[in-house]
């Protein structure tokens, strides 16, 4: 089986063949660190962390780079508003970023380069583009000659003339063509700046990723990824300036995740539905948010509501309860039974189904469906009172393997909130009323695992922590 990736550049799935056998060079555009990240930022962090994990699971050595934009117009504006300098603002929100994405189960990149730490590299990149005739200086600004890069528009699949319609030169810009974009910005009064051959200033947004990808991964990389909103103009401009400089293909596979809607509306500050991860994870388990993000194929839009997140939590709990019940049964496990080979074969088939789903453009939605099948199979196995330690070990191993690939933890919450405990007890009561004793027993075992003691009283069931 081979991995298939939907390549935004070609608009089709392609077999993944890395530049170097067994190794993957992967660059993911990171956030501009002027605030806490919102769930739109969280989606690519989760999605491409999962892609990285799966590639590693399939045996690849992945070098994963994700940058921080730690100087730009937004950072300067926030710094001026609060009376602090840009590095202070950037450092604060880089630290907050790591807290949030770590809670979401994301591993750190091999390198998290910052723009401010790569200024010499960026300036040198711009200087060479000028020497090659692909860029020009204009009163302290430097712009890219878009029309001189003949294949401009190939990622967004638009011609240069189509892009020309509606393009404008903003007040204060000194470029020759409306399609030209800034590589270097001349300093304005009160702004942070760096010295350059063109005077004091700072980089444009697009140049930073090209320069850092080249520095840390080389002239051609395997995968370049980010949110759908970055495809144009950010990634289009990255391609133009990098390939103009090197004369080589910049990235072989371009991956973009879909948008997030809030209650069926596009997330935006103007609509007041701008949701920060920092706030969500104060209320919801961050692992539930990750599971929710992976429950939809990464290229599709996803709709966020509190109700959907709660449903996701219940589904994730069911899977974890199956795993915990297997571990509990293992304590009383016995020797090989006559039906063991049949169960082992069914577990193996589900493992292969998971790989097949993930090989198909990292389809975590189908992968999670397999996980629910595995949970159902485990429940069926336990319901028949089977106790073969070998089968149980294979079940446990498969749960652990899939959860690791998805970046999830199998442990139940050590410190359940009171309302969560009461919700579980109510769910157990309802299950008993419905004569669903299997579910009732699973919830009882979960509460027991969490050292929650249930007491029957004349007023109903009471509970206390053990």
């Amino acid at each position: 089986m081979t991995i298939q990736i939907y390549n935004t550049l070609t608009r089709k799935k392609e077999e993944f063949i890395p530049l170097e056998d067994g190794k993957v060079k992967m660059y993911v555009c990171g956030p501009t660190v002027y605030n806490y990240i919102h769930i739109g930022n969280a989606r690519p962090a989760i999605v491409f962390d999962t892609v990285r994990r799966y590639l590693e699971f399939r045996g690849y050595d992945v070098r994963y780079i994700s940058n921080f934009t730690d100087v730009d117009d937004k950072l300067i504006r926030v710094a001026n508003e609060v009376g602090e300098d840009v590095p202070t603002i950037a450092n604060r929100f880089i630290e907050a970023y790591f807290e949030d994405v770590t809670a979401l189960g994301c591993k750190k990149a091999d390198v998290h380069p910052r723009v401010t730490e790569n200024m010499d590299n960026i300036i040198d990149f711009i200087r060479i583009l000028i020497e090659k005739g692909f860029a020009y200086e204009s009163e302290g600004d430097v712009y890219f000659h878009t029309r001189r890069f003949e294949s401009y528009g190939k990622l967004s699949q638009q011609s240069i003339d189509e892009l020309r319609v509606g393009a404008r030169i903003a007040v204060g810009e000194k470029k020759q063509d409306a399609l030209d974009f800034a590589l270097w910005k001349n300093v304005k009064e009160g702004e942070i700046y760096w010295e350059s051959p063109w005077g004091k200033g700072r980089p444009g947004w697009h140049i930073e990723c090209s320069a850092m990808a080249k520095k840390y991964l080389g002239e051609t990389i395997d995968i370049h990824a980010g949110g759908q909103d970055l495809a144009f103009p950010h990634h289009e401009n990255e391609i133009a300036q990098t390939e103009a400089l090197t004369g080589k293909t910049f990235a072989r596979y371009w991956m973009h995740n879909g948008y997030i809607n809030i209650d069926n509306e596009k997330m935006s500050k103007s609509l007041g539905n701008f949701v920060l991860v920092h706030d969500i994870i104060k209320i919801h388990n961050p692992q539930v948010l990750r599971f929710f993000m992976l429950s939809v194929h990464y290229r599709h839009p996803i709709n966020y509501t509190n109700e959907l997140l709660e449903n996701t939590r219940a589904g994730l709990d069911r899977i974890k309860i199956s795993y915990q019940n297997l571990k509990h049964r293992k304590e009383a496990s016995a020797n090989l039974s006559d039906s063991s080979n049949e169960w082992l074969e069914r577990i193996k088939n589900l493992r292969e189904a998971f790989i097949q789903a993930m090989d198909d453009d990292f389809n975590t939605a189908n992968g999670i469906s397999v996980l629910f099948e595995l949970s159902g199979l485990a429940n069926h196995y336990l319901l028949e009172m089977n106790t073969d330690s070998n089968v149980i070990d294979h079940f446990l191993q498969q749960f652990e393997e899939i959860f690791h690939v998805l970046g999830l933890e199998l442990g139940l919450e050590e410190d359940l909130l009171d309302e969560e405990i009461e919700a579980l007890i109510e769910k157990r009561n309802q299950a008993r009323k419905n004569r669903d004793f299997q579910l009732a027993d699973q919830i009882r075992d979960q509460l027991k695992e969490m050292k929650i003691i249930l007491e029957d009283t004349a007023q109903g069931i009471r509970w206390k922590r053990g």
Side-chain angles (χ1 to χ4, degrees):
M1 293 184 288
T2 59
I3 296 173
Q4 302 286 317
I5 297 180
Y6 182 87
N7 191 347
T8 307
L9 187 66
T10 60
R11 300 295 196 273
K12 64 181 181 182
K13 291 180 186 177
E14 300 176 0
E15 180 182 354
F16 177 62
I17 304 174
L19 289 159
E20 187 177 350
D21 190 35
K23 296 185 177 182
V24 179
K25 298 177 180 180
M26 186 171 179
Y27 188 96
V28 178
C29 287
T32 302
V33 284
Y34 70 101
N35 198 352
Y36 296 105
I37 61 169
H38 53 70
I39 58 172
N41 304 128
R43 193 177 191 190
I46 291 169
V47 163
F48 299 117
D49 174 74
T50 306
V51 169
R52 173 196 191 180
R53 287 172 177 271
Y54 185 68
L55 290 169
E56 290 173 340
F57 166 75
R58 295 286 264 119
Y60 289 102
D61 177 11
V62 182
R63 181 160 171 78
Y64 187 94
I65 309 297
S66 184
N67 71 296
F68 289 121
T69 298
D70 61 344
V71 59
D72 88 328
D73 292 339
K74 294 175 183 176
L75 272 154
I76 292 170
R77 185 184 70 248
V78 171
N80 289 336
E81 288 173 355
V82 301
E84 296 181 318
D85 61 26
V86 168
T88 298
I89 300 293
N91 289 335
R92 178 183 305 140
F93 289 114
I94 285 173
E95 184 177 339
Y97 171 85
F98 282 130
E99 289 177 359
D100 287 345
V101 298
T102 299
L104 293 171
C106 299
K107 300 194 296 182
K108 281 192 174 183
D110 292 298
V111 183
H112 282 282
R114 302 187 187 193
V115 176
T116 57
E117 295 173 349
N118 287 271
M119 205 58 66
D120 290 344
N121 184 43
I122 292 169
I123 289 171
D124 193 51
F125 198 112
I126 297 171
R127 179 185 56 78
I128 297 172
L129 284 175
I130 293 174
E131 291 175 357
K132 286 177 169 280
F134 284 101
Y136 59 92
E137 187 268 341
S138 177
E139 298 181 39
D141 292 339
V142 180
Y143 295 96
F144 185 82
H145 262 308
T146 302
R147 288 185 180 275
R148 293 194 181 178
F149 184 72
E150 293 182 358
S151 58
Y152 190 83
K154 63 182 178 180
L155 183 65
S156 56
Q157 296 194 353
Q158 302 175 82
S159 71
I160 197 85
D161 291 324
E162 288 173 328
L163 292 167
R164 183 74 174 80
V165 176
R168 297 287 185 272
I169 298 178
V171 175
E173 289 185 321
K174 312 171 190 74
K175 53 188 177 181
Q176 298 173 7
D177 189 302
L179 285 177
D180 295 347
F181 56 89
L183 302 175
W184 186 262
K185 296 182 177 183
N186 191 22
V187 66
K188 296 183 178 67
E189 185 177 353
E191 286 186 348
I192 187 172
Y193 65 86
W194 285 260
E195 297 287 351
S196 80
W198 319 287
K200 297 174 181 178
R202 57 188 171 85
W205 177 38
H206 310 298
I207 191 66
E208 63 185 60
C209 287
S210 287
M212 290 187 283
K214 179 176 177 291
K215 176 180 177 179
Y216 293 100
L217 295 174
E219 293 181 336
T220 300
I221 67 177
D222 293 298
I223 298 172
H224 198 312
Q228 184 179 337
D229 57 312
L230 298 181
F232 185 87
H234 185 53
H235 289 163
E236 192 78 69
N237 291 350
E238 280 191 64
I239 290 173
Q241 61 204 9
T242 303
E243 296 186 2
L245 182 99
T246 67
K248 301 176 182 178
T249 297
F250 177 29
R252 301 181 69 191
Y253 302 88
W254 287 87
M255 298 180 67
H256 295 94
N257 64 270
Y259 291 111
I260 291 183
N261 295 323
I262 308 294
D263 290 323
N264 293 308
E265 287 189 305
K266 184 177 179 180
M267 184 177 67
S268 70
K269 289 182 179 179
S270 61
L271 291 175
N273 61 357
F274 206 70
V275 183
L276 300 177
V277 173
H278 183 73
D279 295 328
I280 294 175
I281 63 178
K282 290 177 181 177
I283 304 170
H284 298 284
N285 183 339
Q287 287 274 298
V288 174
L289 181 58
R290 182 180 181 108
F291 194 61
F292 170 74
M293 291 286 191
L294 297 177
S295 67
V296 174
H297 190 280
Y298 77 89
R299 286 192 287 111
H300 297 165
I302 188 169
N303 186 49
Y304 172 91
T305 69
N306 284 322
E307 182 181 1
L308 288 173
L309 205 61
E310 182 58 28
N311 291 340
T312 299
R313 184 196 63 78
L316 184 57
D317 280 349
R318 287 200 304 274
I319 295 169
K320 289 184 176 184
I321 290 169
S322 298
Y323 176 79
Q324 294 295 334
N325 288 343
L326 284 165
K327 289 183 71 176
H328 181 70
R329 180 67 60 84
K330 186 181 178 180
E331 296 174 4
S333 60
N335 295 323
L336 196 68
S337 65
D338 293 338
S339 63
S340 295
N341 287 336
E342 176 188 345
W343 287 102
L344 292 173
E345 185 66 21
R346 293 170 77 177
I347 296 169
K348 178 186 174 184
N349 289 341
L350 286 176
R351 182 181 191 273
E352 291 174 353
F354 177 75
I355 292 173
Q356 184 177 5
M358 294 296 287
D359 276 355
D360 183 15
D361 194 30
F362 309 99
N363 195 329
T364 55
N366 287 350
I368 286 173
S369 294
V370 173
L371 187 56
F372 276 110
E373 288 185 55
L374 182 68
S375 176
L377 186 65
N379 292 341
H380 182 48
Y381 182 81
L382 295 172
L383 194 62
E384 293 188 1
M385 301 306 294
N386 291 303
T387 58
D388 185 336
S389 61
N390 188 37
V391 173
I392 292 174
D393 280 340
H394 275 74
F395 266 120
L396 292 173
Q397 180 183 349
Q398 198 50 52
F399 273 107
E400 290 161 6
E401 191 173 67
I402 293 176
F403 263 63
H404 179 73
V405 170
L406 298 179
L408 297 166
E409 297 172 1
L410 271 162
L412 293 166
E413 300 262 1
E414 290 297 330
D415 294 310
L416 290 174
L417 298 174
D418 288 0
E419 57 266 30
E420 291 177 317
I421 295 170
E422 290 166 1
L424 282 171
I425 292 171
E426 177 57 33
K427 189 183 296 184
R428 179 172 180 265
N429 291 340
Q430 193 61 46
R432 295 173 72 179
K433 289 179 183 177
N434 296 337
R435 304 187 64 78
D436 187 351
F437 299 114
Q438 180 184 356
L439 177 59
D441 288 345
Q442 287 176 355
I443 296 172
R444 177 202 63 203
D445 290 340
Q446 177 185 355
L447 292 167
K448 181 180 177 181
E449 183 79 19
M450 302 314 303
K451 298 181 175 58
I452 302 301
I453 299 171
L454 302 181
E455 297 177 341
D456 287 311
T457 72
Q459 291 77 33
I461 294 177
R462 291 185 175 179
W463 62 271
K464 64 181 180 180
R465 299 181 189 274

